[in-house]
Amino acid sequence: MARRGGADAYTARWRRSVHRARVALRRSGVDSFRGDGSDRIALAGLLLLVPAITFATLIDPVWFSPALLALPIVVGGLLLRPASLLGLYATAAAALIVESVRLGPYLKEPAAVTPGTVLTIAACGFFGLVLAQFRARVGVPWRRGGTMLFDLRERIRVQSALPRLPQGWHREMALRPAGGQSFSGDFVVAARTNGGRTLEVVLTDVSGKGMDAASRALLLSGAFGGLLGSLPPHGFLPAANGYLLRQDWDEGFATSIHLVLDLESGDYEILSAGHPPALQLHAGSGQWEEMAAGGPLLGVYDGAEFDAVKGSLAPGDVLMLFTDGLVETSERDLSEGIDRLTGEADGYVATGFEGAAWHLIEACAKDVNDDRALLLLSRRA
């Protein structure tokens, strides 16, 4: 019985040890993927790879060129911290010296270490060290950088989602960044306020485009989302203007249009900060009307005032909000772009505007090198 009890205790201790090792390995792997863990495992693997390459080169330098030492150098530049990288470089330099001595002069042996091989490996090492120092300064390893950009894009997309509307209303939003990128300086924030009766939507165009404006767009979308619904409708744009002025950016202006829509009556107000006018289709007449509200750009001067324009959406009416990239280019002015947009939109009057936002951007500004956004609201008949 004593032997059996001792064996069971030993088995239990062994299982606990294995479990702790598995947990530690899994945690180390997760930390390594996130960039928070040590780089010792990667350094050890690369230090073992260097002598393996050296041995293969000494055995058959024709198939295993001395330039193969650039491979661990490049991988190390992506994985290792600067201090660890210097240790790898010292090991690679020693291996290169061994290869040059054993293979003989390059003038007699064509597969020997040549000056070009040394320069190639040295150049890879230099650029790898620059990348490692940049990552160390920014604090974002390459394995985490792509995930952060993906998270950034998803946050902008989630913040730009429009809330559900009651029966009888249709809404859709289409956004196309400049140059086919994933990030845009145009964004929208929206919320149901007043107990869900009122829809407030703010469409903003940050100065710049694409990646240059993406970081500011993310910051502003979070700030504007916090302000929206927390202030009376007429207090939103003055508060947003004050927020931009406090940022003191070199290129810190933006245009914005604020829609306040009563979902029961269809009455609305539009306030604008240097933004292109909204367009309303009157179902009764089939005519488009520009709803232009006055106001200066956001972030230009303090104490700016923003005047509202009022309207009402009857059953069958459509309201479009858009950014200037959709209707204005260097080859055409704003009025021409609006005429083209309304002409394309007339084709959807008979069939309905479901799915029309993206197609209108494709038809009106497919190849424009600017951020383009279109918000479409319709009240079903």
Side-chain angles (χ1 to χ4, degrees), residues 153-289:
R153 187 186 67 182
E154 288 302 300
R155 287 178 186 275
I156 295 177
R157 184 186 65 81
V158 170
Q159 290 176 353
S160 298
L162 299 175
R164 291 182 177 273
L165 299 185
Q167 187 175 3
W169 291 93
H170 170 71
R171 86 284 184 268
E172 59 183 79
M173 171 75 185
L175 190 150
R176 185 159 184 170
Q181 300 178 14
S182 299
F183 302 94
S184 173
D186 297 347
F187 67 89
V188 62
V189 292
R192 296 272 298 271
T193 59
N194 193 22
R197 172 173 177 168
T198 303
L199 172 68
E200 292 192 51
V201 180
V202 176
L203 178 60
T204 302
D205 182 2
V206 179
S207 57
K209 58 187 177 183
M211 290 290 294
D212 296 333
S215 58
R216 283 175 287 140
L218 178 64
L219 180 63
L220 290 182
S221 64
F224 286 9
L227 293 174
L228 192 67
S230 301
L231 296 170
H234 287 260
F236 174 83
L237 287 181
N241 182 59
Y243 180 81
L244 258 74
L245 289 172
R246 290 192 296 273
Q247 305 312 305
D248 196 24
W249 288 328
D250 293 335
E251 194 179 1
F253 64 89
T255 69
S256 192
I257 187 168
H258 182 194
L259 169 68
V260 184
L261 172 65
D262 189 319
L263 295 172
E264 294 185 4
S265 65
D267 297 335
Y268 67 84
E269 276 190 328
I270 289 178
L271 299 99
S272 176
H275 204 83
L279 294 174
Q280 179 179 352
L281 172 67
H282 296 278
S285 62
Q287 300 296 317
W288 291 92
E289 179 184 4

Side-chain angles (χ1 to χ4, degrees), residues 44-129:
L46 292 173
L47 289 177
L48 292 175
L49 181 61
V50 169
I53 292 176
T54 304
F55 179 76
T57 301
L58 296 177
I59 295 298
D60 191 350
V62 175
W63 284 95
F64 300 94
S65 168
L68 275 178
L69 285 173
L71 179 61
I73 295 295
V74 172
V75 176
L78 296 174
L79 292 177
L80 302 181
R81 296 181 173 89
S84 303
L85 202 56
L86 293 177
L88 176 65
Y89 288 176
T91 305
L96 197 60
I97 293 173
V98 171
E99 290 178 354
S100 63
V101 171
R102 294 294 302 274
L103 294 177
Y106 65 89
L107 294 176
K108 297 181 178 179
E109 299 291 338
V113 178
T114 65
T117 301
V118 176
L119 290 176
T120 299
I121 296 176
C124 292
F126 172 76
F127 287 111
L129 187 59

Side-chain angles (χ1 to χ4, degrees), residues 318-364:
V318 178
L319 186 68
M320 291 195 297
L321 310 180
F322 48 88
T323 57
D324 60 357
L326 180 61
V327 294
E328 190 175 20
T329 65
S330 57
E331 290 82 18
R332 70 182 183 212
D333 58 20
L334 182 64
S335 60
E336 281 186 55
I338 290 178
D339 289 342
R340 182 174 180 180
L341 176 60
T342 55
E344 292 289 341
D346 284 338
Y348 293 91
V349 173
T351 59
F353 282 82
E354 285 78 3
W358 183 260
H359 294 288
L360 288 175
I361 292 180
E362 287 284 301
C364 298

Side-chain angles (χ1 to χ4, degrees), residues 17-31 41:
S17 299
V18 172
H19 177 71
R20 285 195 296 267
R22 290 176 57 191
V23 171
L25 181 62
R26 184 170 62 242
R27 187 174 300 166
S28 175
V30 172
D31 289 343
I41 297 178

